[in-house]
Every structure is written in structure tokens, then in C-alpha cells.
Amino acid sequence: MRVAVKLFAAARDLTGHGEVEIELPPGADVAELRQALAAQLPPLAPLAARSLVAVNAEYASDSTPVAEGDELALIPPVSGG
Amino acid sequence: MIQLTTEPIDTQRLLELVQNPEAGAVVLFLGTTRQFTANRETMELHYEAYREMAESELAKLDAEARRRWSLIECAIVHRLGIVPLGEVSVAIAVSSAHRDAAFEAGRWLIDTLKESAPIWKQERWADGAVEWVHPAANGTNPVTPRYSEGSGQILRKTSE
């Protein structure tokens, strides 16, 4: 399945895109999404390894399943305030 | 009250929002753009957010603070875009009957916002360098901020 992933801050600058499409096996989880992002976008790999993933605007754990149509976002370490 | 804005934050209005005859204490925290970090000079800061999620995360902080302390009003505003030197990037105002709750809730709110809100700061240094700030938390492992019912603490769960 193909899913769209929002990218922010350095993740966006590293890839030049605010959103990327990634190919995932059906039934993939967040850990596989992070691995696929790193594999399909190598410049993103080091930051992706220490980023969280949000599924439908909620922080997700590595075992959270990803479905086609979910709103997905890579959340690099935050620095608001 | 939760707000993300690209405009300067009106702190007087925020105080008026939380002031209330039931309150005996009002605490206002302001985060402002600092000129020097160690010996390096900042020209300005730039903030961006995953807006929909940041709004829902700030609303969760508001609800959790009200659950943990007896608050009368609570307001959280974060500015996005460029924040010049000395100007306010984040404002948290809380009111309570007695000062302990307002001080404790205000401290908890800013500390927890900095850990959990999907908002990012870009340093625009006076020497021309531009850097996103992505702090390493707990080494290089990704972490999942989440609340535990009961303690209300953010637990940092290390992922594989």
C-alpha cells in the first residue's frame, strides 16, 4: 500500500518535501513505517531513527498498525516553548 | 483557552482572560527569544507546528492540568513564524483560589508542553547559520510521551 507521511522542520528540509509517499506492505506497523522512510529516503535515516510517528494526529507506539488513508506524520524531537 | 498564532501575543488580554473573582492567584509564564545562548548570538527564532495535532496536544495539557490542580482558568498560547529578540513565543496563564496550584500548574504546563507539543524551533544565528533544534532526549532512542492515568506524569517509553 502507498501512504502519505507529513514531514516537519529538519525532516522537511532534509528531503525538500512537506509530505512524501512511501510504499509499505499491507498490515505494516509504525516501526516498519519508520524503517521504510529511512530506506526510501536515505538522508532522513538518522533523524527518522530518533523521531516519533503520529497516526491520525496522536502519538503512536512502534506496534501501532498503519492503514491506507491514515493521516501519518513523522515527529522529530520537539523544541517548542 | 488554546491558541496558535502568527501574531504577537497579547499578554494583557491573556491575564484578563484568566482573572476571575474566585481567583486569589494568577501566574503568567512567558517564554521569550533570548539573544545569547552560551556565547552565540541569536538573530531571531522561527517556530513551526503540526497545527492540528499541536492544538489537540495543548488541549490535552489544559485538561490534564485542570484534573491535577484546582484551577479556575487556564490559557496557553504559542506563537508560530518569526519571533524577534525579546518577544514572547509562548504564554501560559493560570488562575486558582490559592497560589500553590497556580505556580505548580504553570510550571508543569510549560515543562510538559516543551516535551510533548509537536512544535519546532529554528535558531537563526547572528553569524548567518540556520538550525532546527531537535534535542536528543534519553540518548538517541525515540521516545513516546504519554500520560499515565493516576500520576499524570509523562512516561518516556523507549522504542526499539
Side-chain angles (χ1 to χ4, degrees):
Chain A
M1 61 179 176
R2 286 189 79 74
V3 296
V5 184
K6 294 179 190 293
L7 301 178
F8 296 96
R12 187 193 50 243
D13 288 1
L14 285 165
T15 60
H17 299 285
E19 186 167 291
V20 292
E21 287 212 334
I22 291 291
E23 190 65 39
L24 282 181
D29 62 17
V30 160
E32 290 171 278
L33 169 66
R34 196 186 288 105
Q35 288 160 12
L37 274 172
Q40 293 171 40
L41 299 162
L44 197 54
L47 185 58
R50 58 191 194 94
S51 294
L52 295 172
V53 170
V55 177
N56 298 322
E58 297 274 353
Y59 285 112
S61 70
D62 277 5
S63 59
T64 303
V66 174
E68 226 161 356
D70 279 345
E71 181 172 309
L72 303 171
L74 189 70
I75 310 289
V78 299
S79 53
Chain B
M1 191 274 279
I2 301 299
Q3 192 186 21
L4 299 175
T5 178
T6 55
E7 301 295 317
I9 296 174
D10 184 344
T11 54
Q12 191 56 43
R13 182 177 150 265
L14 215 56
L15 284 172
E16 288 164 9
L17 270 173
V18 301
Q19 277 178 308
N20 184 295
E22 290 175 39
V26 172
V27 167
L28 173 67
F29 172 83
L30 303 177
T32 57
T33 298
R34 181 178 57 238
Q35 186 171 14
F36 288 97
T37 298
N39 288 322
R40 202 168 178 194
E41 186 175 3
T42 295
M43 183 179 67
E44 63 192 16
L45 295 177
H46 175 253
Y47 289 87
E48 86 170 36
Y50 177 9
R51 284 192 81 129
E52 311 90 294
M53 182 174 171
E55 283 169 357
S56 72
E57 288 294 317
L58 295 184
K60 285 183 201 170
L61 294 187
D62 176 303
E64 179 66 10
R66 290 172 189 270
R67 192 185 73 77
R68 298 183 72 182
W69 290 279
S70 181
L71 301 181
I72 293 164
E73 293 293 345
C74 175
I76 307 172
V77 182
H78 204 299
R79 187 169 168 186
L80 302 176
I82 288 170
V83 182
L85 292 182
E87 293 193 18
V88 177
S89 55
V90 62
I92 291 174
V94 289
S95 57
S96 56
H98 302 283
R99 68 186 181 283
D100 282 355
F103 273 119
E104 288 172 18
R107 177 66 194 249
W108 181 86
L109 281 163
I110 183 60
D111 287 351
T112 315
L113 177 154
K114 288 172 81 83
E115 290 182 341
S116 71
I119 299 173
W120 298 274
K121 174 188 326 200
Q122 188 183 54
E123 281 276 4
R124 297 185 175 179
W125 300 102
D127 61 18
V130 172
E131 292 169 352
W132 286 107
V133 180
H134 292 308
N138 289 0
T140 56
N141 289 323
V143 291
T144 304
R146 59 175 60 175
Y147 302 105
S148 69
E149 292 302 322
S151 73
Q153 297 283 341
I154 273 201
L155 300 181
R156 297 203 150 265
K157 177 182 171 240
T158 302
S159 306
E160 292 305 315

